[in-house]
Amino acid sequence: MSKKRPLTKKQRRKRKIIIFFIELIVLLVLIGVLWVAMKMGKIQRHEIKETEVIKNKVDKTTTTAMEKYTTFALFGLDNRTNGSYESGNADTIMVVSIDNKTKEVKIASVYRDTYLKVDDDTYNKVNAAYAQGGAKQSLKAINQSLDLHITDYVAVDWYALAKAVDLLGGIKVKVTSGEANLINAYGYEAIKTTGIKSTRGKVVAGTNTLDGIQALSYARIRAIGNDFQRTERQRTVVSAMLDKSKEASVGTLISMLDEIFPKISTSLSYGEMASLAKDAMKYTIGETTGFPYFHKGMRVGRYGDCLVPADLSNNVSKLHDFLFLNESYIPSNTLKTFNVKIICVTGVKYVPVEKPTP
């Protein structure tokens, strides 16, 4: 049996870069790749101007703390179309902070039903912001409601996840009988939307090797548990995909580039991607969390069942401590105004005996 030839320095570098960007987008639970210069023309790039998405005037301690991190948003779209990034609900919203010194990556999932200010005069579920004005409006919503200063994003849709899982040869996931039934049921819509066929038989209770359509269906389950359990399932998919991508051959990774590149939208420039990629193997995935920490589920007018922060200022303070280790964060006057409005509309105030969501 012949031995495999060791990779050349150039091949090792390319592999590191590709794996790094697979890790970044897989955090969305909808995977994609953002590298290789010759493929740049296939990416849907949309430049974001700071004035379009930054409205709050935050205190100096906040800006100083954030300068130590690279921060951007990751959006996973539920728009029932492939490659269309101008509209659709952003059912996966993640804020990623990368410590510029230690290279630790932290991820905060903003629950899709969180009741926040999504437009100049509108409060709604935060996932509705993308439907109203695409990535720009969604960035504006999370910036103003969370006192953040984010000007970059990456967005992908259903196709990217399903295709990537198939190219990786599937992922192993342990499911309950209830989850298995929903995976099988959701598959029809996923196949119709993505145009990708399911290559394996029906999922049953226990450990299964899920193909792309099945993995997508598993990540979408909300009927069992709630949005918190849904994000736990997404993290299961993330971990399984990361494990497979790190074991994949260079050929497999290159195939992923060819298949998934056209299904990505981002504001990142080539230079920004190169800057992120140069330290690819130094990055480590740290803690993850969900926002809001303190909350109350309730119906809010015509918006239906929402997750109301209890209260917004307290939750955002905890978020800044998590993302930027900023215990000195002071809510902006703009955010305080939003906080009062949410309390007036919902009657939900901070309840200190509640435990934060893990």
Side-chain angles (χ1 to χ4, degrees), residues 80 158 180-198 202 213-214 216-217 220:
R80 301 305 195 274
W158 286 11
N181 291 334
L182 289 174
I183 290 171
N184 295 325
Y186 287 178
Y188 297 104
E189 182 181 18
I191 292 171
K192 183 178 179 180
T193 298
T194 63
I196 298 173
K197 295 182 179 180
S198 182
K202 286 190 175 182
I213 290 298
Q214 293 166 340
L216 169 61
S217 299
R220 293 184 57 228

Side-chain angles (χ1 to χ4, degrees), residues 67-287:
E67 286 173 356
K68 300 175 183 177
Y69 297 81
T70 297
T71 310
F72 54 92
L74 301 177
F75 301 123
L77 306 185
D78 181 5
N79 56 12
R80 301 305 195 274
T81 58
N82 294 329
S84 176
Y85 293 99
E86 299 306 313
S87 63
N89 287 335
D91 278 0
T92 301
I93 303 172
M94 294 185 178
V95 177
V96 177
S97 73
I98 303 175
D99 188 310
N100 294 330
K101 184 177 181 180
T102 67
K103 308 305 178 186
E104 181 184 29
V105 180
K106 290 185 178 180
I107 308 101
S109 296
V110 181
Y111 298 120
R112 48 169 276 172
D113 291 339
T114 305
Y115 185 70
L116 295 173
K117 187 177 179 69
V118 298
D119 204 343
D120 290 338
D121 57 358
T122 304
Y123 289 77
N124 198 344
K125 296 177 182 179
V126 68
N127 72 329
Y130 206 106
Q132 292 182 14
K136 290 181 181 179
Q137 187 59 44
S138 198
L139 281 175
K140 180 181 175 182
I142 61 178
N143 277 330
Q144 66 182 5
S145 292
L146 306 180
D147 265 353
L148 294 173
H149 194 287
I150 303 175
T151 57
D152 284 314
Y153 77 95
V154 177
V156 291
D157 58 16
W158 286 11
Y159 179 94
L161 169 64
K163 194 65 179 180
V165 171
D166 282 343
L167 289 170
L168 288 170
I171 57 173
K172 286 188 177 181
V173 178
K174 185 176 182 179
V175 302
T176 65
S177 58
E179 290 171 335
N181 291 334
L182 289 174
I183 290 171
N184 295 325
Y186 287 178
Y188 297 104
E189 182 181 18
I191 292 171
K192 183 178 179 180
T193 298
T194 63
I196 298 173
K197 295 182 179 180
S198 182
T199 58
R200 301 180 187 274
K202 286 190 175 182
V203 177
V204 297
T207 300
N208 295 256
T209 298
L210 305 182
D211 63 24
I213 290 298
Q214 293 166 340
L216 169 61
S217 299
Y218 175 74
R220 293 184 57 228
I221 293 175
R222 294 188 72 205
I224 298 176
N226 49 35
D227 214 25
F228 313 134
Q229 280 70 47
R230 185 178 190 237
T231 58
E232 289 177 3
R233 295 186 188 98
Q234 292 174 347
R235 286 194 290 270
T236 298
V237 173
V238 167
S239 298
M241 293 179 75
L242 287 177
D243 289 343
K244 289 299 289 285
S245 67
K246 289 182 178 180
E247 297 172 357
S249 67
V250 173
T252 296
L253 297 175
I254 294 298
S255 295
M256 294 178 72
L257 291 174
D258 290 329
E259 294 283 353
I260 300 168
F261 244 101
K263 309 302 179 181
I264 295 171
S265 173
T266 183
S267 62
L268 291 167
S269 67
Y270 177 82
E272 289 169 329
M273 285 188 273
S275 178
L276 285 170
K278 66 181 176 62
D279 293 321
M281 299 309 290
K282 296 180 182 178
Y283 290 93
T284 58
I285 305 300
E287 296 179 84

Side-chain angles (χ1 to χ4, degrees), residues 330-341:
I330 301 173
S332 68
N333 290 331
T334 303
L335 185 136
K336 290 178 182 178
T337 301
F338 299 162
N339 188 38
V340 172
K341 177 69 174 180

